[in-house]
Amino acid sequence: MNIDGITNGLVIDHIEAGKGMELYNALHLGDLESSVALIKNVTSHKMGKKDIIKVDEVLDVDLDVLGFIDPNITVNIIKDNEIVGKKHIELPKKVTNLIKCKNPRCITSTEQELPHIFKLTDPATRTYRCIYCETKARETRV
Amino acid sequence: MDNLIDILDLSVEEIDELVEKAKDIINNPDAYREKCRYKKLATLFFEPSTRTRLSFESAMLDLGGNVIGFSGADNSSAAKGESVSDTVRTVGCYADIIAMRHPKEGAPLVASMHAGIPVINAGDGGHNHPTQTLTDLLTINMEKGRFTDMTIGLCGDLKFGRTVHSLIEAMSRYSGIRFVFISPKELKLPSYVVDEYLTKNNIPFEETNDLMAAMPNLDILYMTRVQRERFFNEEDYIRLKDSYILTREKLAEAKADLTIMHPLPRVNEISVDVDDDERAAYFKQVRYGKFIRMALILKMLGIE
Ligand SMILES: [Zn+2]
């Protein structure tokens, strides 16, 4: 399968196969006016299969969201049909309103207007905990 | 220090400083009677806890300060749907420091972000209760004269008791500490506590269901209450609540300088015939609780 290259924009590569749509939603790519391609199950030497997202005319994307979902994702910056750089992805120290705390005893369960904030407490195991009740984020699904 | 939300907000040095200050207050109470003159403590108890509230209020009164506040959700703003942050912003206009109890985990942290004055967590659900841990630490230090080199037995509900987990967390920062965990298998210490505080720091411990057998080695015996609300089923509660009751006979093999502690209130886990034993420290613990809260209030208000 072949998708036209982009002249100026971003290529989000090495997405774990099947996670492309989740990423598409988390980055709110559906709200963009420019063209966006989500390519699923691309054959990869490294990963077997992977997903790729290409975004035209956009050079800015929330790297914290990407890092939280999967720090192994790569982001290439394309200008005039050429890769001119890579964005550095790392585990964000803190994510706000990306996931919700599900602990029914947490203050966020009764005070709706509070931001749901999770802090990275153990980078080795990619553990995030709610800043209020310290409950572990069970999954990195958004 | 701006706020005290979690016992780990305090370094070992800060805990030592608080313990030394509390000892100085115990030895020279008159020197502290006017220290907080014209200062106000607000006790915001969104759920009642008479024992903890009285301890905070007595602490402030013994420092010459004043106390305002409320207790129980029905007579408070929460009943009218006001948020924690709006409540504390209002209180911050009147008071100099807040002690807050709330049934929801993390509520005192939210308060500390909005109050504009220091906030002390006086218990948030089953989550944190740092002044209980400070009370326990002062008691250990007063009774033993040290924080190092001792065997601490914890008995009863080790699964749900956050007080127990915090004490393990706090004491595992000192050297020469050994733990003995005494409980029925249903109420054993959760594996994350074992992993995070003990295994990681190479702290020796053993688990047993035999209080009598553990007794001769203990320097401290910390008894806990088995709480009804932790159980889904009444039968389990009734079966387990009487599993570990400390009686005078069970103390026969104990060390002469054992220290018996309990966060109180007790149900029946310590028989009243133990109360007169000089090793019983649980009522002294209540007294120490007031003194450590006095030291804490002074520190948080920046008063020497
Ligand atoms: Zn939470």
Side-chain angles (χ1 to χ4, degrees):
Chain A
M1 180 176 183
N2 205 5
I3 301 275
D4 285 348
I6 48 177
T7 314
N8 295 298
L10 296 174
V11 176
I12 305 170
D13 202 352
H14 301 106
I15 305 167
E16 189 187 319
K19 278 210 167 185
M21 198 63 205
E22 184 190 327
L23 211 61
Y24 179 92
N25 290 328
L27 293 169
H28 304 291
L29 298 179
D31 299 343
L32 290 178
E33 296 288 328
S34 56
S35 46
V36 178
L38 165 59
I39 314 159
K40 289 176 66 175
N41 298 322
V42 180
T43 311
S44 157
H45 289 301
K46 220 165 62 177
M47 306 170 65
K49 277 183 173 177
K50 65 177 181 180
D51 291 359
I52 301 176
I53 295 175
K54 297 186 178 186
V55 191
D56 206 11
E57 304 296 335
V58 170
L59 294 172
D60 198 24
V61 59
D62 191 337
L63 298 176
D64 281 355
V65 172
L66 289 176
F68 180 74
I69 293 174
D70 185 354
N72 298 316
I73 290 171
T74 58
V75 180
N76 292 319
I77 305 163
I78 313 289
K79 271 187 187 152
D80 301 325
N81 293 310
E82 286 190 43
I83 297 178
V84 296
K86 275 185 192 296
K87 297 220 187 230
H88 182 62
I89 306 287
E90 56 184 15
L91 285 175
K93 298 269 179 295
K94 188 173 101 170
V95 291
T96 302
N97 288 333
L98 194 58
I99 45 171
K100 287 196 172 279
C101 181
K102 292 185 183 120
N103 173 6
R105 298 178 308 277
C106 180
I107 184 68
T108 55
S109 70
T110 44
E111 302 220 342
Q112 311 297 332
E113 78 290 356
L114 282 174
H116 287 242
I117 304 172
F118 281 77
K119 256 193 189 158
L120 180 64
T121 55
D122 187 355
T125 54
R126 284 172 65 190
T127 303
Y128 284 83
R129 286 181 189 272
C130 171
I131 62 161
Y132 307 105
C133 69
E134 296 173 78
T135 297
K136 252 189 219 176
R138 280 184 203 288
E139 45 193 349
T140 52
R141 291 194 78 81
V142 177
Chain B
M1 183 184 23
D2 300 329
N3 302 290
L4 179 61
I5 304 302
D6 185 322
I7 191 68
L8 291 187
D9 293 345
L10 296 170
S11 64
V12 172
E13 291 73 28
E14 284 174 314
I15 287 175
D16 283 348
E17 204 184 296
L18 285 169
V19 165
E20 289 313 311
K21 178 60 90 176
K23 285 181 177 171
D24 193 53
I25 299 171
I26 292 169
N27 294 328
N28 312 289
D30 287 341
Y32 290 89
R33 275 194 218 292
E34 300 283 321
K35 289 279 186 190
C36 286
R37 218 173 154 196
Y38 307 124
K39 298 283 185 194
K40 262 181 262 159
L41 165 75
T43 50
L44 310 185
F45 277 52
F46 291 81
E47 68 177 0
S49 173
T50 310
R51 193 172 293 277
T52 305
R53 187 171 53 85
L54 292 182
S55 181
F56 271 106
E57 295 185 351
S58 305
M60 192 53 164
L61 293 173
D62 283 359
L63 291 166
N66 293 300
V67 174
I68 56 172
F70 58 79
S71 176
D74 6 300
N75 58 7
S76 82
S77 45
K80 299 186 198 100
E82 190 180 41
S83 66
V84 165
S85 55
D86 281 4
T87 304
V88 299
R89 228 173 253 166
T90 309
V91 172
C93 299
Y94 307 132
D96 300 285
I97 184 167
I98 289 173
M100 178 172 160
R101 176 112 173 175
H102 198 287
K104 290 287 179 175
E105 300 176 6
L109 178 68
V110 174
S112 72
M113 292 165 163
H114 300 281
I117 57 174
V119 173
I120 302 171
N121 182 357
D124 57 341
H127 182 218
N128 282 323
H129 194 359
T131 58
Q132 178 66 53
T133 308
L134 285 175
T135 299
D136 296 342
L137 292 174
L138 178 61
T139 305
I140 290 172
N141 201 278
M142 287 295 291
E143 297 299 307
K144 293 291 176 225
R146 63 180 193 275
F147 278 131
T148 57
D149 306 298
M150 60 183 101
T151 300
I152 304 174
L154 295 129
C155 178
D157 175 6
L158 308 184
K159 183 177 180 184
F160 298 107
R162 173 70 204 190
T163 317
V164 166
H165 304 167
S166 295
L167 185 62
I168 295 168
E169 198 172 351
M171 287 306 292
S172 57
R173 301 200 281 189
Y174 299 99
S175 65
I177 299 298
R178 290 181 67 252
F179 289 104
V180 182
F181 303 119
I182 308 145
S183 73
K185 68 176 193 311
E186 292 88 344
L187 297 173
K188 265 176 63 172
L189 201 64
S191 57
Y192 75 87
V193 176
V194 174
D195 295 344
E196 278 181 37
Y197 311 137
L198 302 170
T199 316
K200 213 189 218 172
N201 300 314
N202 280 318
I203 313 254
F205 69 94
E206 58 184 274
E207 293 184 295
T208 174
N209 54 17
D210 190 343
L211 175 57
M212 287 281 270
M215 193 70 84
N217 297 319
L218 304 180
D219 297 301
I220 288 175
L221 173 58
Y222 195 102
M223 298 293 295
T224 63
R225 170 170 86 254
V226 176
Q227 296 186 65
R228 175 180 268 117
E229 57 266 34
R230 302 295 188 201
F231 292 88
F232 289 112
N233 125 17
E234 186 74 13
E235 277 163 48
D236 282 353
Y237 169 69
I238 290 173
R239 184 170 51 86
L240 292 171
K241 89 177 157 68
D242 295 337
S243 30
Y244 296 96
I245 296 177
L246 182 64
T247 57
R248 204 172 253 276
E249 298 87 76
K250 286 188 187 153
L251 284 169
E253 302 286 309
K255 285 188 185 174
D257 65 347
L258 173 72
T259 301
I260 305 165
M261 296 170 65
H262 189 296
L264 300 184
R266 69 175 151 185
V267 183
N268 63 344
E269 8 3 276
I270 302 180
S271 143
V272 288
D273 66 10
V274 177
D275 295 359
D276 297 330
D277 192 298
E278 58 182 19
R279 291 167 288 191
Y282 33 95
F283 288 109
K284 284 194 240 175
Q285 212 173 334
V286 176
R287 250 185 104 239
Y288 296 141
K290 183 193 73 175
F291 289 116
I292 199 77
R293 288 182 176 94
M294 289 171 79
L296 182 64
I297 290 170
L298 288 172
K299 183 175 166 72
M300 295 187 73
L301 290 175
I303 297 169
E304 277 298 299

